Amino acid sequence: MNLPHAVHNMLIVDDSTTIRNRIARLVAHPRLPHINIAGLAGNGAVAVDLAREFRPNLITMDLTMPQLDGEACIEQIVDFLPDTRILVVSALSDKTTALRAIKKGAAGFLHKPFTDEQLLDSLIELID
């Protein structure tokens, strides 16, 4: 999926405004190819709506959110955007949770709290 000058559309999903803003800020890092932020969602229901509307090819997804949790959200989005790459960013660190999210369609898992470097590395891995 590594298209040299492709613009990546990204959806950032987290119930924490602080985390959403931090990810959005880091996405502008020179190590990353151009990423257009298609939307920011504070819960899973909004995330699914934004994904339908903007068809992002990259998503960062929290698991613990109101209205629709990350796992249900991944299942729904993968259903209509099967090629979208989803990075789960969650404070839930047990292996079972990570494996369940990956089985449902997530491409990677980053544990909170994370460093800027860890997020950049995870996003680069997701795009390659």
Side-chain angles (χ1 to χ4, degrees):
M1 181 166 174
N2 192 8
L3 309 169
H5 300 292
V7 172
H8 297 281
N9 276 325
M10 182 175 186
L11 178 61
I12 299 170
V13 185
D14 199 295
D15 62 342
S16 160
T17 306
T18 307
I19 297 284
R20 286 195 310 269
N21 292 341
R22 183 170 169 212
I23 294 171
R25 186 176 34 80
L26 285 168
V27 163
H29 195 279
R31 278 182 53 201
L32 294 171
H34 182 73
I35 296 175
N36 172 52
I37 296 172
L40 302 169
N43 68 59
V46 171
V48 172
D49 290 345
L50 289 175
R52 279 189 202 286
E53 186 178 346
F54 296 110
R55 311 194 70 74
N57 55 348
L58 294 174
I59 299 175
T60 59
M61 178 71 65
D62 188 12
L63 291 180
T64 315
M65 296 180 296
Q67 290 184 26
L68 192 65
D69 72 22
E71 283 185 48
C73 200
I74 290 167
E75 273 184 308
Q76 287 188 31
I77 291 171
V78 165
D79 203 42
F80 61 88
L81 292 175
D83 296 330
T84 293
R85 311 278 292 160
I86 300 171
L87 173 66
V88 171
V89 181
S90 177
L92 301 174
S93 61
D94 62 289
K95 285 215 168 24
T96 312
T97 303
L99 288 172
R100 236 184 10 242
I102 286 166
K103 262 194 194 122
K104 291 185 177 178
F109 194 96
L110 178 62
H111 181 250
K112 289 177 189 170
F114 54 86
T115 65
D116 291 2
E117 200 61 31
Q118 288 169 321
L119 179 68
L120 286 172
D121 289 346
S122 295
L123 288 171
I124 288 166
E125 212 172 281
L126 205 63
I127 292 167
D128 281 348

